Amino acid sequence: MMSSLPMSKIFFILLLIFAASPWASPPIALLCGLIFAFIAKHPYAAQSRKITKYLLQVSVVGLGFGMNLQQVIRAGRSGFLYTALGITFAMLCGWTLGKLLQVAPRHAFLISVGTAICGGSAIAAVGPVAHATDDEMSVSLGTVFILNSVALLIFPIIGARLHLTQNQFGLWAALAIHDTSSVVGATAKYGAIALAIGTTVKLARALWIVPMTLATAAVVRHQNQESDRPVKIQWPWFILFFCLAAVADTYAPRFASAYHAINYAAKLGLDATLFLIGASLAPASLKRVGVRPLLHGIILWLIVGSLSLLLIRNGWISI
């Protein structure tokens, strides 16, 4: 019975239900998790780690039903080129920053991937392949999602203050904000044109999950061969299902109502995942890892966001 449960468990369950409801949002869900982590002990820590992993993967697949490949192609070759250049720059910059700040290699890699491609989805894809630990995944995901929350709030304000056009703002949001949900949220506040451009370019950016995962698997396999340590590489099959979901959404529109329902459920699942991620970021975990990964993520995001904004404002990149 609910009344026989300790207060921490009751509080946890109520917050989780709220986070996975239509009344919550990604920033609010994450904030609820963080609040719980700092005021109470996680009552389901072991179970939560496993659930978070699979719930995030299932939710990512569900989001694939909201991706239209034809929309990405219509964004033009320029959008694909910008995302390729942006990803390359972010990865190189992230690697350099990691060296300078003396961040653990896997922390630096995961945060760089999340910043370069599409936040939590990219980290979820490459993390298991890179043999990341629970703490490394939690801190990397938490860093990305916190910055997403900040971007969702401040990007429209900055865009209005700088008098960015909707085309400019949509491109900037797609290149500088980690997750698709935050790109959609920020551009929707700015206008319909910004939303269309931001979504299409962001989808092109998200497609780089697949080659990045393949490259990570190849590098890990090569390193294991060199060190004579046979380690089984777990292939992230959910990425394949993510691509198949996008293909279905594009080429089988007769089931659009079902796709919409799945996509909506996936967004609620992501909110629940955000709560579980936030709840796992206890002060002890953060202290164990240190502030360097968080600082690494913040500095990298500021560099990527500022440089892309400068290039867009000066007309050096445009759509």
Side-chain angles (χ1 to χ4, degrees):
M1 294 177 61
M2 183 70 77
S3 59
S4 64
L5 291 175
M7 285 302 301
S8 62
K9 292 186 177 181
I10 296 175
F11 188 37
F12 178 88
I13 293 172
L14 290 176
L15 284 177
L16 176 59
I17 292 173
F18 172 73
S21 73
W23 297 281
S25 65
I28 292 176
L30 179 63
L31 180 61
C32 288
L34 290 171
I35 291 174
F36 180 86
F38 278 81
I39 65 175
K41 183 179 180 181
H42 200 314
Y44 305 105
Q47 301 92 324
S48 181
R49 282 193 290 269
K50 181 176 291 187
I51 292 173
T52 299
K53 175 184 175 182
Y54 292 108
L55 181 59
L56 182 58
Q57 293 179 355
V58 170
S59 298
V60 168
V61 173
L63 288 179
F65 287 101
M67 285 187 61
N68 188 294
L69 297 182
Q70 292 178 349
Q71 230 180 3
V72 176
I73 294 173
R74 283 198 298 268
R77 295 180 180 178
S78 57
F80 191 80
L81 176 62
Y82 296 151
T83 56
L85 294 175
I87 289 169
T88 302
F89 172 79
M91 291 302 299
L92 290 174
C93 189
W95 179 81
T96 303
L97 272 176
K99 291 290 185 180
L100 293 175
L101 296 175
Q102 297 181 343
V103 177
R106 272 202 293 262
H107 273 128
F109 175 67
L110 291 177
I111 293 172
S112 299
V113 167
T115 304
I117 302 179
C118 58
S121 301
I123 293 174
V126 303
V129 176
H131 298 169
T133 65
D134 291 333
D135 277 347
E136 288 168 341
M137 290 287 289
S138 295
V139 171
S140 301
L141 287 167
T143 300
V144 165
F145 285 127
I146 288 171
L147 296 178
N148 268 317
S149 303
V150 174
L152 187 61
L153 297 174
I154 70 171
F155 265 52
I157 297 174
I158 295 174
R161 291 287 180 89
L162 297 178
H163 305 290
L164 297 181
T165 66
Q166 290 199 35
N167 292 59
Q168 290 175 324
F169 184 81
L171 181 58
W172 181 44
L175 296 178
I177 299 179
H178 304 78
D179 280 317
T180 302
S181 59
S182 293
V183 172
V184 173
T187 53
K189 294 180 180 180
Y190 210 79
I193 297 175
L195 175 61
I197 293 176
T199 301
T200 53
V201 176
K202 179 60 186 176
L203 293 179
R205 185 177 162 197
L207 291 176
W208 286 91
I209 290 178
V210 177
M212 178 62 72
T213 304
L214 291 171
T216 302
V219 170
V220 171
R221 184 182 294 110
H222 180 68
Q223 290 175 341
N224 290 335
Q225 288 175 348
E226 286 187 343
S227 61
D228 295 325
R229 290 188 300 119
V231 179
K232 183 179 179 180
I233 298 175
Q234 298 179 349
W235 173 253
W237 288 106
F238 77 98
I239 292 296
L240 173 61
F241 296 125
F242 171 81
C243 295
L244 292 176
V247 171
D249 183 76
T250 304
Y251 297 108
R254 69 177 68 180
F255 305 109
S257 58
Y259 300 154
H260 178 75
I262 295 173
N263 187 259
Y264 180 73
K267 291 177 180 178
L268 297 182
L270 275 180
D271 287 348
T273 303
L274 284 174
F275 169 77
L276 294 175
I277 290 170
S280 69
L281 291 175
S285 295
L286 295 176
K287 185 177 180 179
R288 197 161 53 243
V289 176
V291 298
R292 292 179 187 273
L294 299 176
L295 186 61
H296 175 267
I298 293 171
I299 295 176
L300 179 59
W301 180 58
L302 290 175
I303 292 174
V304 171
S306 301
L307 181 59
S308 58
L309 177 60
L310 176 65
L311 295 174
I312 291 170
R313 286 199 71 195
N314 286 278
W316 292 327
I317 60 174
S318 61
I319 287 183

